[in-house]
Amino acid sequence: MAAIIPIRAFSDNYIWAIREGPNAVVVDPGDEEPVERWLAREGVTLRAILVTHHHGDHTGGVAALCAARGIPVFGPAREAIPGRTRALSEGDAVELEHPSLRLRVLDVPGHTSGHIAYVGEIDRAPVAFVGDTLFAGGCGRLFEGTPAQMAASLAKLASLPGETRVYCAHEYTLANLRFALAVEPDNEALVARVARDEARRGRDAPTVPSTIADERATNPFLRAGDPAVFAAAQRHAGRTVADPVDAFAVLRQWKNTF
């Protein structure tokens, strides 16, 4: 049986470990030290590294983790990833024997130009490792991509089954939900989610993973075409908003200064 374990790094990063028995892979190891401590404490052997995009808080630990191990490093084909041994783009898959794992790759540009996500099933439960494209209650900043690219990437992730567990890379949830409430204060599902996730953080528990169903119901960046969210974007912009992509762009800029 496999398990997905959060390894905390820096102030708010999650490095995800996928463990099956004595073997594991890690996703987006920005810092090697917490990973090494976890491996030593648990008596686990690291077998591979998965990377979603090139930012240092996702790749900074790759070289050190690989130095004495000779393990494969999977990462996006359109970005420079340190130590990468296999370049991936949509349609590719990661297949490992130990741990037993098969994840397919989606291109999800926007936060960065070559960002990818890994999706599949672990212990018959659908999962998505989405890096900084989709956050619990939010989405990543557009450092290299366009609003149209990011909106399309989020729509691609939103089309996954509702029960898909979404493993993003940061604990930004409460800040994201505060913004979501400013956009959509009458969303009952959102109000309930805020209470639930505030209670989790009060116990110092992660709010991640969420689910695709959670995000469809409460995340304004996946709801830019919803009449209430669209109207809020138009009010904030003080102009006519052309379409859901334009509404998404307004929301993203609004969040940047919220």
Side-chain angles (χ1 to χ4, degrees):
M1 180 177 292
I4 304 173
I5 298 110
I7 301 173
R8 298 188 186 192
F10 308 119
S11 61
D12 53 35
N13 280 67
Y14 291 127
I15 300 166
W16 295 104
I18 307 168
R19 176 183 181 179
E20 184 180 60
N23 302 297
V25 306
V26 293
V27 183
D28 286 347
D31 186 357
E32 73 277 6
E33 291 185 3
V35 176
E36 294 285 16
R37 287 195 299 270
W38 180 80
L39 293 169
R41 184 177 68 247
E42 299 294 325
V44 171
T45 299
L46 184 63
R47 297 294 188 180
I49 293 171
L50 310 182
V51 175
T52 62
H53 66 290
H54 67 84
H55 285 163
D57 63 325
H58 295 250
T59 63
V62 172
L65 290 169
C66 291
R69 291 184 171 92
I71 56 176
V73 177
F74 300 85
R78 293 193 297 278
E79 297 188 357
I81 304 299
R84 185 186 60 204
T85 61
R86 185 174 172 203
L88 301 171
S89 57
E90 185 156 334
D92 293 330
V94 174
E95 298 190 60
L96 298 170
E97 186 174 355
H98 301 294
S100 179
L101 185 67
R102 187 183 191 281
L103 297 172
R104 60 190 176 93
V105 175
L106 298 178
D107 289 333
V108 287
H111 180 66
T112 64
S113 61
H115 201 302
I116 61 174
Y118 300 89
V119 302
E121 290 190 357
I122 294 177
D123 283 344
R124 301 183 181 180
V127 299
F129 297 93
V130 297
D132 287 357
T133 296
L134 174 62
F135 291 133
C139 74
R141 287 177 180 259
L142 277 64
F143 288 116
E144 299 171 14
T146 66
Q149 284 180 314
M150 182 63 110
S153 294
L154 293 174
K156 186 181 294 185
L157 294 171
S159 72
L160 295 171
E163 66 270 25
T164 302
R165 298 173 187 170
V166 180
Y167 292 88
C168 66
H170 290 275
E171 184 57 70
Y172 290 164
T173 309
L174 294 187
N176 288 338
L177 295 182
R178 284 193 291 272
F179 173 71
L181 278 174
V183 175
E184 209 176 4
D186 298 325
N187 183 329
E188 293 181 1
L190 175 57
V191 172
R193 183 177 184 181
V194 170
R196 182 189 73 201
D197 284 344
E198 284 181 342
R200 287 175 174 169
R201 294 307 295 149
R203 303 190 300 272
D204 194 33
T207 60
V208 182
S210 63
T211 68
I212 289 295
D214 290 334
E215 302 311 321
R216 290 177 191 156
T218 61
N219 188 327
F221 296 103
L222 269 61
R223 296 167 55 78
D226 179 271
V229 176
F230 192 92
Q234 190 154 268
R235 286 194 300 272
H236 180 79
R239 61 172 176 82
T240 299
V241 172
D243 54 34
V245 172
D246 191 15
F248 169 83
V250 170
L251 292 169
R252 186 58 263 182
Q253 187 59 38
W254 183 3
K255 176 64 168 63
N256 291 347
T257 58
F258 184 74

PDB file of all heavy atoms in Angstrom, residues 230-242 246-247 249-251 254:
ATOM      1  N   PHE A 230     -17.876  36.359 -12.331  1.00  0.00           N
ATOM      2  CA  PHE A 230     -17.708  37.249 -13.487  1.00  0.00           C
ATOM      3  C   PHE A 230     -18.148  38.671 -13.123  1.00  0.00           C
ATOM      4  O   PHE A 230     -17.455  39.649 -13.435  1.00  0.00           O
ATOM      5  CB  PHE A 230     -18.517  36.710 -14.661  1.00  0.00           C
ATOM      6  CG  PHE A 230     -18.214  37.367 -15.979  1.00  0.00           C
ATOM      7  CD1 PHE A 230     -17.254  36.841 -16.825  1.00  0.00           C
ATOM      8  CD2 PHE A 230     -18.907  38.506 -16.373  1.00  0.00           C
ATOM      9  CE1 PHE A 230     -16.985  37.437 -18.048  1.00  0.00           C
ATOM     10  CE2 PHE A 230     -18.640  39.114 -17.588  1.00  0.00           C
ATOM     11  CZ  PHE A 230     -17.676  38.580 -18.436  1.00  0.00           C
ATOM     12  N   ALA A 231     -19.283  38.786 -12.437  1.00  0.00           N
ATOM     13  CA  ALA A 231     -19.793  40.104 -12.044  1.00  0.00           C
ATOM     14  C   ALA A 231     -18.846  40.775 -11.058  1.00  0.00           C
ATOM     15  O   ALA A 231     -18.618  41.992 -11.136  1.00  0.00           O
ATOM     16  CB  ALA A 231     -21.193  39.969 -11.446  1.00  0.00           C
ATOM     17  N   ALA A 232     -18.274  40.010 -10.130  1.00  0.00           N
ATOM     18  CA  ALA A 232     -17.339  40.585  -9.173  1.00  0.00           C
ATOM     19  C   ALA A 232     -16.089  41.098  -9.877  1.00  0.00           C
ATOM     20  O   ALA A 232     -15.571  42.174  -9.540  1.00  0.00           O
ATOM     21  CB  ALA A 232     -16.961  39.535  -8.123  1.00  0.00           C
ATOM     22  N   ALA A 233     -15.608  40.347 -10.856  1.00  0.00           N
ATOM     23  CA  ALA A 233     -14.443  40.801 -11.614  1.00  0.00           C
ATOM     24  C   ALA A 233     -14.758  42.090 -12.363  1.00  0.00           C
ATOM     25  O   ALA A 233     -13.937  43.023 -12.404  1.00  0.00           O
ATOM     26  CB  ALA A 233     -14.007  39.708 -12.588  1.00  0.00           C
ATOM     27  N   GLN A 234     -15.943  42.164 -12.934  1.00  0.00           N
ATOM     28  CA  GLN A 234     -16.331  43.360 -13.673  1.00  0.00           C
ATOM     29  C   GLN A 234     -16.452  44.569 -12.754  1.00  0.00           C
ATOM     30  O   GLN A 234     -16.001  45.675 -13.097  1.00  0.00           O
ATOM     31  CB  GLN A 234     -17.636  43.094 -14.415  1.00  0.00           C
ATOM     32  CG  GLN A 234     -18.021  44.173 -15.396  1.00  0.00           C
ATOM     33  CD  GLN A 234     -18.892  43.625 -16.507  1.00  0.00           C
ATOM     34  OE1 GLN A 234     -18.400  43.218 -17.536  1.00  0.00           O
ATOM     35  NE2 GLN A 234     -20.207  43.609 -16.272  1.00  0.00           N
ATOM     36  N   ARG A 235     -17.035  44.377 -11.561  1.00  0.00           N
ATOM     37  CA  ARG A 235     -17.127  45.484 -10.604  1.00  0.00           C
ATOM     38  C   ARG A 235     -15.739  45.954 -10.195  1.00  0.00           C
ATOM     39  O   ARG A 235     -15.479  47.162 -10.107  1.00  0.00           O
ATOM     40  CB  ARG A 235     -17.919  45.044  -9.369  1.00  0.00           C
ATOM     41  CG  ARG A 235     -19.418  44.930  -9.577  1.00  0.00           C
ATOM     42  CD  ARG A 235     -20.151  44.826  -8.253  1.00  0.00           C
ATOM     43  NE  ARG A 235     -19.729  43.662  -7.475  1.00  0.00           N
ATOM     44  CZ  ARG A 235     -20.268  42.451  -7.574  1.00  0.00           C
ATOM     45  NH1 ARG A 235     -21.250  42.230  -8.450  1.00  0.00           N
ATOM     46  NH2 ARG A 235     -19.849  41.461  -6.807  1.00  0.00           N
ATOM     47  N   HIS A 236     -14.853  45.002  -9.923  1.00  0.00           N
ATOM     48  CA  HIS A 236     -13.508  45.388  -9.495  1.00  0.00           C
ATOM     49  C   HIS A 236     -12.775  46.111 -10.614  1.00  0.00           C
ATOM     50  O   HIS A 236     -12.070  47.094 -10.362  1.00  0.00           O
ATOM     51  CB  HIS A 236     -12.713  44.152  -9.067  1.00  0.00           C
ATOM     52  CG  HIS A 236     -11.327  44.486  -8.615  1.00  0.00           C
ATOM     53  ND1 HIS A 236     -11.061  44.988  -7.354  1.00  0.00           N
ATOM     54  CD2 HIS A 236     -10.123  44.406  -9.256  1.00  0.00           C
ATOM     55  CE1 HIS A 236      -9.764  45.190  -7.239  1.00  0.00           C
ATOM     56  NE2 HIS A 236      -9.166  44.848  -8.374  1.00  0.00           N
ATOM     57  N   ALA A 237     -12.929  45.640 -11.849  1.00  0.00           N
ATOM     58  CA  ALA A 237     -12.230  46.256 -12.969  1.00  0.00           C
ATOM     59  C   ALA A 237     -12.780  47.639 -13.309  1.00  0.00           C
ATOM     60  O   ALA A 237     -12.057  48.489 -13.842  1.00  0.00           O
ATOM     61  CB  ALA A 237     -12.322  45.345 -14.192  1.00  0.00           C
ATOM     62  N   GLY A 238     -14.064  47.874 -13.006  1.00  0.00           N
ATOM     63  CA  GLY A 238     -14.682  49.140 -13.361  1.00  0.00           C
ATOM     64  C   GLY A 238     -14.831  49.328 -14.852  1.00  0.00           C
ATOM     65  O   GLY A 238     -14.820  50.463 -15.356  1.00  0.00           O
ATOM     66  N   ARG A 239     -14.975  48.227 -15.554  1.00  0.00           N
ATOM     67  CA  ARG A 239     -15.123  48.273 -17.009  1.00  0.00           C
ATOM     68  C   ARG A 239     -15.883  47.026 -17.459  1.00  0.00           C
ATOM     69  O   ARG A 239     -16.121  46.119 -16.662  1.00  0.00           O
ATOM     70  CB  ARG A 239     -13.761  48.321 -17.702  1.00  0.00           C
ATOM     71  CG  ARG A 239     -12.879  47.113 -17.412  1.00  0.00           C
ATOM     72  CD  ARG A 239     -11.618  47.109 -18.265  1.00  0.00           C
ATOM     73  NE  ARG A 239     -10.712  46.021 -17.931  1.00  0.00           N
ATOM     74  CZ  ARG A 239     -10.828  44.766 -18.371  1.00  0.00           C
ATOM     75  NH1 ARG A 239     -11.847  44.434 -19.170  1.00  0.00           N
ATOM     76  NH2 ARG A 239      -9.943  43.844 -18.024  1.00  0.00           N
ATOM     77  N   THR A 240     -16.207  46.964 -18.722  1.00  0.00           N
ATOM     78  CA  THR A 240     -16.817  45.771 -19.275  1.00  0.00           C
ATOM     79  C   THR A 240     -15.758  44.689 -19.416  1.00  0.00           C
ATOM     80  O   THR A 240     -14.704  44.919 -20.020  1.00  0.00           O
ATOM     81  CB  THR A 240     -17.450  46.057 -20.642  1.00  0.00           C
ATOM     82  OG1 THR A 240     -18.473  47.048 -20.474  1.00  0.00           O
ATOM     83  CG2 THR A 240     -18.055  44.795 -21.236  1.00  0.00           C
ATOM     84  N   VAL A 241     -16.010  43.527 -18.848  1.00  0.00           N
ATOM     85  CA  VAL A 241     -15.106  42.385 -18.954  1.00  0.00           C
ATOM     86  C   VAL A 241     -15.558  41.546 -20.139  1.00  0.00           C
ATOM     87  O   VAL A 241     -16.739  41.192 -20.264  1.00  0.00           O
ATOM     88  CB  VAL A 241     -15.104  41.564 -17.648  1.00  0.00           C
ATOM     89  CG1 VAL A 241     -14.331  40.274 -17.806  1.00  0.00           C
ATOM     90  CG2 VAL A 241     -14.502  42.409 -16.523  1.00  0.00           C
ATOM     91  N   ALA A 242     -14.626  41.230 -21.023  1.00  0.00           N
ATOM     92  CA  ALA A 242     -14.988  40.678 -22.319  1.00  0.00           C
ATOM     93  C   ALA A 242     -15.469  39.240 -22.262  1.00  0.00           C
ATOM     94  O   ALA A 242     -16.430  38.862 -22.945  1.00  0.00           O
ATOM     95  CB  ALA A 242     -13.790  40.781 -23.269  1.00  0.00           C
ATOM     96  N   ASP A 246     -10.705  37.112 -19.738  1.00  0.00           N
ATOM     97  CA  ASP A 246     -10.525  38.483 -19.262  1.00  0.00           C
ATOM     98  C   ASP A 246     -10.877  38.570 -17.780  1.00  0.00           C
ATOM     99  O   ASP A 246     -10.168  39.220 -16.989  1.00  0.00           O
ATOM    100  CB  ASP A 246     -11.395  39.421 -20.087  1.00  0.00           C
ATOM    101  CG  ASP A 246     -11.081  40.892 -19.856  1.00  0.00           C
ATOM    102  OD1 ASP A 246     -10.019  41.200 -19.278  1.00  0.00           O
ATOM    103  OD2 ASP A 246     -11.908  41.739 -20.262  1.00  0.00           O
ATOM    104  N   ALA A 247     -11.959  37.905 -17.373  1.00  0.00           N
ATOM    105  CA  ALA A 247     -12.328  37.889 -15.958  1.00  0.00           C
ATOM    106  C   ALA A 247     -11.234  37.225 -15.124  1.00  0.00           C
ATOM    107  O   ALA A 247     -10.889  37.708 -14.033  1.00  0.00           O
ATOM    108  CB  ALA A 247     -13.659  37.157 -15.771  1.00  0.00           C
ATOM    109  N   ALA A 249      -8.045  37.172 -15.822  1.00  0.00           N
ATOM    110  CA  ALA A 249      -6.933  38.114 -15.741  1.00  0.00           C
ATOM    111  C   ALA A 249      -7.198  39.192 -14.688  1.00  0.00           C
ATOM    112  O   ALA A 249      -6.294  39.573 -13.929  1.00  0.00           O
ATOM    113  CB  ALA A 249      -6.697  38.755 -17.111  1.00  0.00           C
ATOM    114  N   VAL A 250      -8.438  39.680 -14.619  1.00  0.00           N
ATOM    115  CA  VAL A 250      -8.798  40.668 -13.598  1.00  0.00           C
ATOM    116  C   VAL A 250      -8.635  40.065 -12.204  1.00  0.00           C
ATOM    117  O   VAL A 250      -8.066  40.691 -11.295  1.00  0.00           O
ATOM    118  CB  VAL A 250     -10.238  41.156 -13.819  1.00  0.00           C
ATOM    119  CG1 VAL A 250     -10.712  42.000 -12.622  1.00  0.00           C
ATOM    120  CG2 VAL A 250     -10.348  41.958 -15.108  1.00  0.00           C
ATOM    121  N   LEU A 251      -9.125  38.857 -12.013  1.00  0.00           N
ATOM    122  CA  LEU A 251      -9.019  38.203 -10.707  1.00  0.00           C
ATOM    123  C   LEU A 251      -7.567  38.015 -10.297  1.00  0.00           C
ATOM    124  O   LEU A 251      -7.195  38.248  -9.139  1.00  0.00           O
ATOM    125  CB  LEU A 251      -9.722  36.846 -10.745  1.00  0.00           C
ATOM    126  CG  LEU A 251     -11.238  36.852 -10.889  1.00  0.00           C
ATOM    127  CD1 LEU A 251     -11.737  35.443 -11.174  1.00  0.00           C
ATOM    128  CD2 LEU A 251     -11.911  37.410  -9.641  1.00  0.00           C
ATOM    129  N   TRP A 254      -6.105  41.319  -9.305  1.00  0.00           N
ATOM    130  CA  TRP A 254      -6.733  41.696  -8.038  1.00  0.00           C
ATOM    131  C   TRP A 254      -6.066  40.937  -6.889  1.00  0.00           C
ATOM    132  O   TRP A 254      -5.689  41.537  -5.877  1.00  0.00           O
ATOM    133  CB  TRP A 254      -8.220  41.381  -8.142  1.00  0.00           C
ATOM    134  CG  TRP A 254      -9.101  41.741  -6.975  1.00  0.00           C
ATOM    135  CD1 TRP A 254      -8.748  42.372  -5.821  1.00  0.00           C
ATOM    136  CD2 TRP A 254     -10.507  41.476  -6.868  1.00  0.00           C
ATOM    137  NE1 TRP A 254      -9.838  42.510  -4.997  1.00  0.00           N
ATOM    138  CE2 TRP A 254     -10.934  41.977  -5.614  1.00  0.00           C
ATOM    139  CE3 TRP A 254     -11.428  40.849  -7.706  1.00  0.00           C
ATOM    140  CZ2 TRP A 254     -12.251  41.858  -5.184  1.00  0.00           C
ATOM    141  CZ3 TRP A 254     -12.738  40.753  -7.288  1.00  0.00           C
ATOM    142  CH2 TRP A 254     -13.154  41.246  -6.043  1.00  0.00           C
TER     143      TRP A 254
END
